[in-house]
Amino acid sequence: GENVEQHPSTLSVQEGDSAVIKCTYSDSASNYFPWYKQELGKRPQLIIDIRSNVGEKKDQRIAVTLNKTAKHFSLHITETQPEDSAVYFCASNYGGSQGNLIFGKGTKLSVKP
Amino acid sequence: DSGVTQTPKHLITATGQRVTLRCSPRSGDLSVYWYQQSLDQGLQFLIQYYNGEERAKGNILERFSAQQFPDLHSELNLSSLELGDSALYFCASSVDGASYNEQFFGPGTRLTVL
């Protein structure tokens, strides 16, 4: 079945540094790649997503890149702040547009002031 | 607040018992998803309903079942509970069944099986 590998599982950075989280997927039909942020004790919330017809998307301090050939996509957070501390999940839609989301196991990001 | 509600917030029960988790989607959303979140397994997709019909199934055990009612609320039934079923169960909803639409998560139900 579909598997989404996410690395690293934990990431600690100094405030102001950049953070990068990487994911790989296996289903060639996948065409949608969202990223969710889950703060401690709270629900996951979508922070950014990218579709397969786009290579990069940016929203203020966060950006996502996609390499369809290599089946890789990454989340980039610049100028990290303590409030960025959370668990981040990548996902891809297994089976394409009518499929369902498969999530990576998450990356716990800690931003130290 | 995502607009998705889940009840109860916490549930403590014993092995072998049966429980029902309830979810109300955002107003206007037709699709409901159920996820299980364990400490080391991230978010595991269980099942999806769209407008009352089962749309997709993930790693859902045979002891688990779900349904979506005409008013679009959904229930997840967990039976013959085992210690390993202890987890946070999230419901999410989206406007339709397409996988590229944002899913809005509820606050979750924390199930503890003793």
Side-chain angles (χ1 to χ4, degrees):
Chain A
E2 170 70 352
N3 190 36
V4 175
E5 295 285 340
Q6 183 172 346
H7 299 280
S9 56
T10 60
L11 180 59
S12 182
V13 300
Q14 225 34 59
E15 183 177 359
D17 288 350
S18 295
V20 180
I21 303 170
K22 299 183 178 183
C23 291
T24 60
Y25 63 99
S26 57
D27 183 14
S28 298
S30 294
N31 57 13
Y32 175 65
F33 308 91
W35 287 87
Y36 281 79
K37 175 184 180 182
Q38 186 177 24
E39 296 177 2
L40 189 62
K42 297 194 174 178
R43 72 194 79 194
Q45 289 187 282
L46 180 72
I47 54 170
I48 196 167
D49 56 15
I50 191 168
R51 302 197 184 192
S52 59
N53 57 346
V54 176
E56 183 173 358
K57 184 176 177 181
K58 193 172 180 180
D59 183 4
Q60 299 182 348
R61 295 186 298 107
I62 60 173
V64 57
T65 59
L66 171 65
N67 182 330
K68 278 215 79 177
T69 304
K71 296 192 177 74
H72 290 171
F73 58 113
S74 301
L75 177 72
H76 303 253
I77 306 174
T78 58
E79 300 171 25
T80 53
Q81 300 168 3
E83 52 265 38
D84 294 329
S85 296
V87 178
Y88 292 81
F89 293 97
C90 64
S92 71
N93 59 342
Y94 176 58
S97 300
Q98 298 306 312
N100 53 267
L101 291 183
I102 301 297
F103 285 82
K105 291 194 175 183
T107 296
K108 183 176 181 181
L109 173 64
S110 299
V111 180
K112 298 181 178 179
Chain B
D1 186 358
S2 66
V4 179
T5 61
Q6 288 186 249
T7 56
K9 194 168 184 175
H10 300 281
L11 201 47
I12 301 174
T13 189
T15 54
Q17 295 299 304
R18 172 189 168 95
V19 297
T20 297
L21 313 184
R22 183 188 168 103
C23 167
S24 291
R26 288 189 325 155
S27 177
D29 283 0
L30 297 178
S31 204
V32 168
Y33 309 78
W34 286 97
Y35 293 91
Q36 180 191 59
Q37 185 173 42
S38 305
L39 274 174
D40 59 346
Q41 291 296 320
L43 284 161
Q44 295 282 316
F45 168 69
L46 296 178
I47 197 163
Q48 176 197 0
Y49 279 83
Y50 172 69
N51 206 19
E53 299 288 327
E54 182 183 304
R55 171 64 74 93
K57 245 179 179 177
N59 298 320
I60 188 166
L61 300 172
E62 285 192 12
R63 301 183 285 108
F64 296 1
S65 65
Q67 52 184 328
Q68 186 179 29
F69 295 86
D71 67 353
L72 301 177
H73 91 271
S74 177
E75 292 181 356
L76 178 67
N77 301 295
L78 314 177
S79 61
S80 302
L81 285 167
E82 302 174 0
L83 295 177
D85 297 328
S86 295
L88 193 51
Y89 290 85
F90 283 106
C91 162
S93 73
S94 67
V95 61
D96 62 26
S99 61
Y100 49 74
N101 289 316
E102 180 175 358
Q103 293 185 23
F104 295 86
F105 282 77
T109 293
R110 182 167 294 283
L111 173 67
T112 302
V113 182
L114 300 176

